[in-house]
Amino acid sequence: MRATPGTDTRPTPSLWLPRLAWGALAYNVLVILWGAVVRITGAGAGCGDHWPLCNGLVVPQDATVHTLIEFSHRLTSGLSGVLALVLLFLAFRHTPARHPARLGAVLSFGLILLEGLVGGVQVRLGLTADSTEPARGFVQGIHLANTFVLLGALLLTALWASGRPALRLRQQGQAVWLGGAGLGLLLVLGMAGAVTALGDLLFLPADGSTPIETVKRDYAATATLIENLRVLHPMLAILTSAYLLWMASRLFRLRPDAQVRRWGLWLSGAIAVQMLAGFANVALKAPGWMQLTHLLLACMMWLVTVMLVYRALTALSLRSPSTVSGVQGQGA
């Protein structure tokens, strides 16, 4: 049986390891969405300024609705840490030394810890609920960027645990910086989106107001920094989408692989759907359900982009040395 370029025919080290990795990835997407529910409902201060305790207690008593929402988010986030720890244990138990799944598991666990730390800082500094401090926008952006990187690490861990080849960054020509720039732009776009979502929550556009009127208000003398930055997200979305579409086309030219083409098409579709969701979000004045939809699509778009870049950087793995050198010459 002939191997498809960019795949790995090695047996997977353990059935439980890839299953847990894929499950952890899906679970963390749900945790991210529930975290957005906490922000949208204003329940971020449901446990006061206590962290990791809730109102000074392990289990809150006489809890309000906001307390229950925030406490449940902490419980689900804590379970993410447990899953990452089990994933780390299985990776080191069932894979040989220097297996890429070990690296992925270590990165995933470290990013989960950083995720909790950033959330704790946000709570301890009071950057929750109705806080309009500029620092809240900065922390919110860092939180989102770390979340995206975490999802990427979990995706790679799942791929490596399933027997897919490791990444090789050397001798990849243009593919490395093309993919790196695309992922970097998406992180910046996501951070700007987090600030915009925060602005839509704290400074909801007035009923009947047009987008132009909202922009004018965002730059009034009394406007805050969070309002000033709100307009950046749609501008960055257009520029980033244009680059990603060009990147997908360019990567396929450099790596004429069926899977690279497939994920490029998926990315094009994801961009189209996300742009429509973005326009709907503005037109509807950012209702909670639309913000959740927009965030879910952003997560999917990030994962599709990571998958595209991964396939482009592993498309040469099982090709002959002559083919590899020939394609590298095209990207040089």
Side-chain angles (χ1 to χ4, degrees):
M1 179 177 178
R2 296 180 61 186
T4 303
T7 61
D8 196 329
T9 57
R10 292 175 300 177
T12 56
S14 168
L15 287 178
W16 281 107
L17 180 58
R19 289 174 179 174
L20 179 62
W22 288 112
L25 174 61
Y27 177 77
N28 273 274
V29 171
L30 296 178
V31 172
I32 292 165
L33 295 177
W34 188 244
V37 171
V38 174
R39 173 181 52 78
I40 292 169
T41 58
C47 288
D49 59 356
H50 298 88
W51 187 90
L53 300 178
C54 185
N55 292 326
L57 301 171
V58 176
V59 179
Q61 304 296 318
D62 302 321
T64 64
V65 173
H66 280 184
T67 300
L68 290 174
I69 294 174
E70 168 64 9
F71 184 65
S72 64
H73 176 55
R74 294 189 183 188
L75 287 179
T76 54
S77 298
L79 181 55
S80 295
V82 174
L83 289 176
L85 187 60
V86 176
L87 185 64
L88 184 65
F89 171 77
L90 289 179
F92 275 81
R93 181 179 178 84
H94 295 290
T95 62
R98 298 188 178 183
H99 192 283
R102 291 190 174 191
L103 173 61
V106 169
L107 289 175
S108 299
F109 183 68
L111 290 165
I112 283 282
L113 294 180
L114 184 56
E115 189 87 339
L117 179 62
V118 173
V121 168
Q122 194 169 8
V123 171
R124 298 288 291 181
L125 294 181
L127 304 176
T128 56
D130 298 326
S131 172
T132 58
E133 291 291 329
R136 184 179 181 185
F138 175 77
V139 174
Q140 199 87 12
I142 294 297
H143 209 3
L144 194 283
N146 186 77
T147 295
F148 272 13
V149 177
L150 169 62
L151 291 181
L154 286 170
L155 174 58
L156 290 176
T157 304
L159 290 169
W160 292 332
S162 302
R164 301 296 178 86
L167 283 172
R168 187 187 61 183
L169 302 182
R170 298 180 61 183
Q171 298 182 327
Q172 291 281 4
Q174 294 181 16
V176 172
W177 67 262
L178 282 170
L183 293 173
L185 282 173
L186 265 183
L187 285 181
V188 174
L189 177 62
M191 294 174 72
V195 175
T196 298
L198 183 60
D200 290 339
L201 173 67
L202 298 175
F203 310 100
L204 187 66
D207 291 337
S209 63
T210 65
I212 297 298
E213 290 172 337
T214 300
V215 172
K216 289 181 178 179
R217 193 188 75 173
D218 287 349
Y219 285 92
T222 57
T224 66
L225 181 61
I226 292 176
E227 291 174 280
N228 297 159
L229 295 176
R230 180 158 53 175
V231 73
L232 291 179
H233 180 62
M235 296 170 60
L236 283 172
I238 295 173
L239 293 174
T240 300
S241 297
Y243 175 83
L244 290 176
L245 290 173
W246 175 78
M247 179 196 75
S249 174
R250 183 62 182 163
L251 284 177
F252 179 63
R253 289 183 62 188
L254 294 171
R255 303 290 186 269
D257 176 82
Q259 291 296 323
V260 174
R261 181 176 183 275
R262 173 190 174 193
W263 286 105
L265 292 174
W266 275 107
L267 178 57
S268 300
I271 290 172
V273 174
Q274 182 67 306
M275 292 296 286
L276 289 175
F279 285 121
N281 200 37
V282 173
L284 298 173
K285 302 190 186 306
W289 66 269
M290 195 66 235
Q291 291 189 43
L292 289 175
T293 302
H294 202 34
L295 178 59
L296 176 60
L297 290 173
C299 292
M300 296 300 102
M301 184 172 161
W302 166 258
L303 290 173
V304 169
T305 305
V306 172
M307 195 68 201
L308 169 61
V309 175
Y310 170 80
R311 293 299 308 198
L313 296 180
T314 56
L316 305 180
S317 297
L318 298 180
R319 296 187 179 187
S320 65
S322 59
T323 304
V324 172
S325 60
V327 176
Q328 286 171 359
Q330 297 176 20

